[in-house]
Amino acid sequence: MPTLVWDYVGEYENEREDILDAVDTVFRSGRLILGESVRGFETEFAAYHGIGHCVGVDNGTNAVKLALQAIGVGPGDEVITVSNTAAPTVLAIDGVGARPVFVDIDPETYLMDTAQVAAAITERTRCLLPVHLYGQCVDLAPLQRLAEQHGLKVLEDCAQAHGARRHGRLAGTTGDAGAFSFYPTKVLGAYGDAGAVVTADDTVEENLRRLRYYGMEERYYVVETPGHNARLDEVHAEILRRKLGRLDDYIAARRAVARRYEEGLGDTGLLLPGPAEGNDHVYYVYVVRHPQRDAVMEALRGHDFHFNISYPWPVHTMTGFAHLGYGTGDFPETESAADEIFSLPMYPTLDPGLQDKVISTLRDILARG
C-alpha cells in the first residue's frame, strides 16, 4: 500500500464508534439544519479559543468570504494578502467584489512579509488578510499597528492553523475575525466540507449569522440584506464537536511526526520547516525545500510514496487572476519557493515504519545527488 501525503483511514478506524454515534445522534435528534449540534460546536469552538463568538458555515472559502462581508469589505475595496496561498483565499476576496493586493513572503517561513505591507496600502485598502500557512502564525503585531494607523480591518485566514499559537495566543483571536476550514485534511477536519468564523465583535457575529442564512433574521424569514445559503451541516458539526476534544492530541501526534523527520533528515540537503520565534507550529503540512526539487521528485516516482507541492503555481501567475495585472517576477520569494518546496506525508496516524521508509528513501536519493 502506498504511503500517502494524507490519509484518514487509520484515524477513522480509531474513532469509528464515536463518529458513527455522532451521525446517529443527529439523525435521531429530529433537527437536521441549524440544530443543537451546530449550536454546541459553535459554543465549544469559541470556548476553546477563549473568544466570544463562533459562527459555523459550509466551507472554508465561505468562511473567508462571509467574514469579509461581515467586517464591511465590498466592491471597490482592496485587501492585502499573499500569493503563496490556496486559491480560495483570493477567490473569496474576488467574490465580495474587492481587489486582492499581494505582498511577497518571508523566504524562511513562507508567511507574509509584514515589512512590505505598509507600502501596499492605498486609500482604497480596507482589510489586511494574513494567511497562517502550513501550521504556524504570521506575526500580527505590525499588522495591528498598521490597522490602527489607517483604520483597517484584520481578517486572519486560519484554514491551516487550528490550535497554532504565537506568543501563547491562538490563531484567529487577534484580528477582527478568524476564518477556519474544516476540510477533511485539516488539523481539525470534518468528513466533508465545513468552516467557521470566530470573532469577539458582537456586530460581526450578527452580520455573519444573517449572511449565512440568505441575509434573513432566522425567526422572521425576512431578507434584510442579500446573503447566502452557507450553513454548517448538523452532521459535520456533531463530528467536529467530538473531534474538538481530541484536537490537542492530533497536534501532539503531528509534532511527533515532525520530530522524526528532523531526526532522520536533519543532516541532508533538505531545508526542513521549523517554528518561527514565538510560534507553536502544528504542522498541518510538512513542507521541505530543495534547489533540485523536480529532480528529487522524479527520482521518487519509482517508489510507493505520494508527495505534494503547496503550492506549485502562485496565485498571481494563474490565468484566472490575470485581470489583476501581476506577472512572473513580481514576487520573487513566492516564485522561488514554488519552484523548490514539496510536502512529505504528514498526519497523526502516520505509521513510524512507513515514515522510516520515506526517510531512508529520501536519504538515498539525496546522497546520490
Side-chain angles (χ1 to χ4, degrees), residues 34-309:
L34 293 182
E36 179 56 36
S37 292
V38 168
R39 287 192 294 271
F41 174 70
E42 290 174 338
T43 298
E44 291 155 19
F45 196 66
Y48 179 89
H49 287 84
I51 201 165
H53 309 292
C54 169
V55 178
V57 297
D58 56 343
N59 57 63
T61 308
N62 275 339
V64 178
K65 183 178 179 180
L66 271 62
L68 285 168
Q69 290 184 281
I71 61 178
V73 177
D77 293 334
E78 292 180 347
V79 178
I80 298 175
T81 189
V82 289
S83 178
N84 184 41
T85 183
T89 305
V90 184
L91 288 167
I93 298 169
D94 185 74
V96 301
R99 176 183 173 81
V101 174
F102 299 123
V103 296
D104 214 343
I105 59 171
D106 180 284
E108 294 186 5
T109 63
Y110 313 120
L111 300 171
M112 174 184 276
D113 183 350
T114 58
Q116 297 188 24
V117 173
I121 294 173
T122 73
E123 61 182 13
R124 297 175 67 178
T125 305
R126 177 67 173 167
C127 177
L128 309 180
L129 205 169
V131 180
H132 301 314
L133 201 67
Y134 303 151
Q136 65 174 331
C137 299
V138 176
D139 181 4
L140 294 182
L143 299 185
Q144 289 292 100
R145 289 193 292 270
L146 288 171
E148 291 171 6
Q149 292 168 13
H150 297 276
L152 307 177
K153 300 294 185 179
V154 176
L155 171 60
E156 302 174 56
D157 183 336
C158 309
Q160 301 188 8
H162 309 72
R165 298 174 185 266
R166 182 168 180 82
H167 297 305
R169 188 152 188 170
L170 280 163
T173 63
T174 299
D176 294 276
F180 290 83
S181 167
F182 304 116
Y183 187 75
T185 62
K186 304 302 184 183
V187 179
L188 179 63
Y191 278 68
D193 275 317
V197 182
V198 298
T199 183
D201 189 305
D202 294 347
T203 300
V204 172
E205 183 229 5
E206 292 169 4
N207 291 342
L208 285 164
R209 294 196 183 280
R210 278 194 298 271
L211 286 165
R212 76 168 178 187
Y213 195 74
Y214 309 111
M216 295 178 180
E217 289 289 350
E218 295 178 20
R219 291 172 296 175
Y220 301 112
Y221 293 88
V222 175
V223 173
E224 295 196 349
T225 182
H228 312 269
N229 178 5
R231 301 165 298 211
L232 176 60
D233 180 82
E234 276 287 289
V235 171
H236 292 317
E238 185 62 33
I239 292 172
L240 287 166
R241 288 183 77 180
R242 311 295 181 93
K243 295 185 71 176
L244 179 59
R246 298 186 283 270
L247 175 55
D248 291 342
D249 293 334
Y250 299 150
I251 292 170
R254 287 175 177 273
R255 287 174 176 157
V257 172
R259 284 194 296 273
R260 291 198 297 270
Y261 279 134
E262 290 164 12
E263 292 165 1
L265 296 170
D267 61 347
T268 68
L270 287 176
L271 178 63
L272 305 182
E277 185 276 327
N279 271 356
D280 294 325
H281 206 312
V282 297
Y283 296 100
Y284 165 60
V285 284
Y286 194 84
V287 175
V288 300
R289 187 166 185 166
H290 194 277
Q292 282 80 49
R293 188 269 312 280
D294 292 346
V296 172
M297 294 193 74
E298 180 63 30
L300 287 164
R301 290 187 190 281
H303 300 272
D304 232 2
F305 304 129
H306 291 188
F307 296 84
N308 191 36
I309 302 173

Side-chain angles (χ1 to χ4, degrees), residues 17-37:
E17 185 175 334
D18 194 33
I19 298 302
L20 294 181
D21 182 67
V23 175
D24 190 61
T25 295
V26 172
F27 287 174
R28 292 178 181 276
S29 70
R31 181 74 180 269
L32 299 177
I33 302 294
L34 293 182
E36 179 56 36
S37 292

